Amino acid sequence: MAISETQKAHVLSLHAEGLARNEIARRVGISAGSVTNICRAADRTFDRSETKQATEARQVDLAAGRIRLAEKMLAASEDMLDVIDGPYEVYNFGGKDNTFESRVLDSAPVEVRRNVITTAGITFDKLTRIVERSDTGLDQAVGVIDTLAAGFTAVAERLRAETSTDEA
């Protein structure tokens, strides 16, 4: 469907009022691309400085969100790593009498340790990707990853020591 001369005049009038391209398109009932073409033919342009500022602000917000997420992931991983080093309660529900039994072990069982280390490894991988995408707060994000890496090293050393003791 062709755009009428009345619609074109309306587009130029709304442009003169300072409305944004998409708002003009909504009001006139035509596509944003058509609005651009009509304005271009009349040697008019749109001020994109607000769009640029909004885009930059959104990028900063997203980067800050990635850093907050990285901090939460790090805290959760550290909590899990701390659990495997101390006393660990195992329990069982069930049986025909629906009984509950529990025991406290000196440390988490091997399968729990393996799951925690795997989860922490996934967290490390995700944190690395978050840092790669972040161009703000880079020093903070690198610090988060360095802390997590040091935790991995400490846990790996403990696991090696326990494994060598178990094999002896």
Side-chain angles (χ1 to χ4, degrees):
M1 181 169 159
I3 298 171
S4 70
E5 291 301 317
T6 303
Q7 286 175 307
K8 290 179 183 179
H10 194 197
V11 165
L12 295 175
S13 171
L14 293 173
H15 179 274
E17 292 177 25
L19 269 68
R21 181 187 73 152
N22 291 344
E23 180 60 25
I24 294 171
R26 277 190 288 277
R27 289 191 184 188
V28 178
I30 61 176
S31 73
S34 294
V35 171
T36 298
N37 292 338
I38 292 166
C39 290
R40 187 180 301 133
D43 289 327
R44 298 190 188 183
T45 61
F46 289 93
D47 179 10
R48 297 188 185 256
S49 62
E50 287 183 23
T51 302
K52 181 180 178 188
Q53 289 172 349
T55 300
E56 289 171 352
R58 179 73 176 139
Q59 289 173 343
V60 168
D61 290 345
L62 291 172
R66 287 190 297 268
I67 296 301
R68 283 192 310 275
L69 178 61
E71 289 170 346
K72 287 180 179 183
M73 291 170 69
L74 174 62
S77 292
E78 287 176 339
D79 288 346
M80 288 189 301
L81 290 170
D82 290 344
V83 168
I84 65 175
D85 292 329
Y88 190 86
E89 183 177 11
V90 294
Y91 55 89
N92 183 36
F93 289 101
K96 67 179 182 165
D97 298 325
N98 198 26
T99 59
F100 171 79
E101 291 186 40
S102 70
R103 302 269 189 278
V104 176
L105 306 175
D106 291 336
S107 64
V110 172
E111 63 274 6
V112 171
R113 296 174 82 77
R114 185 179 308 115
N115 288 339
V116 168
I117 297 297
T118 299
T119 301
I122 292 168
T123 299
F124 181 78
D125 181 57
K126 297 299 181 191
L127 287 174
T128 302
R129 291 178 190 200
I130 288 170
V131 170
E132 288 173 357
R133 290 184 188 165
S134 177
D135 57 356
T136 61
L138 183 59
D139 291 337
Q140 181 181 6
V142 168
V144 167
I145 291 179
D146 287 344
T147 301
L148 187 57
F152 280 139
T153 301
V155 169
E157 289 170 0
R158 280 190 291 249
L159 284 175
R160 279 191 205 107
E162 288 176 15
T163 303
S164 65
T165 305
D166 290 344
E167 292 174 358

